[in-house]
Amino acid sequence: WVVQVPGGGAGGGGGSGGRAGGGISAVGAINESQEVEAILREENVQLITEEEAARVTNLDELTGLPRADDVLLFALPVCAPYAVLANYKFKAKLTPGANKRGKAAKTASHLFLNSAACTQREKELMRAIGDNELIQIMIGNAKVTAAGMAQATAKLKKEKKKG
């Protein structure tokens, strides 16, 4: 592992960079930093400045529309006005209806999990969300509607009949 140390150099392993620690020489650090810069240019990665890094919060790392190259760490259920969710990848409209919160949460979850746009990693993260967490964010007595809802409902009914 390589750690950035004050003064612009790099230190590796558990050593202190001294004679006995097996640190990286100045020439090795320059070659390594040039190699890292070349890889970043190839991957089109733009680093942010220290000033920009100070302004970034954890909320800035959240997105409703992940790109294909994003590394997904977790899924977060959200209940918000539909206009706010317009750019979200997975969304369902909740309207007043007869369904209890638990049933509405399961219906929405089933709809998202069976979506053609859902990747394997997204499915894993959605399944990791507990039923209680989903139920807590839902509004009561709601009807779930979304694109592809009829197909998801038919599939859910078939699954109920089987087992």
Side-chain angles (χ1 to χ4, degrees), residues 18-40:
R19 281 179 259 174
I24 298 173
S25 68
V27 174
I30 292 171
N31 290 339
E32 187 175 321
S33 67
Q34 289 173 346
E35 185 177 326
V36 169
E37 288 175 14
I39 291 171
L40 291 175

Side-chain angles (χ1 to χ4, degrees), residues 16 26 45 50 80 85 107 116 137-138 148 154 162:
S16 63
V45 174
E50 287 183 29
L85 304 175
T107 303
I137 62 114
M138 294 293 273
K162 285 182 181 179

Side-chain angles (χ1 to χ4, degrees), residues 110 150-163:
H110 191 267
Q151 294 137 353
T153 306
K155 191 173 184 179
L156 184 63
K157 286 182 182 179
K158 284 182 185 178
E159 287 178 5
K160 273 189 174 180
K161 285 182 183 179
K162 285 182 181 179

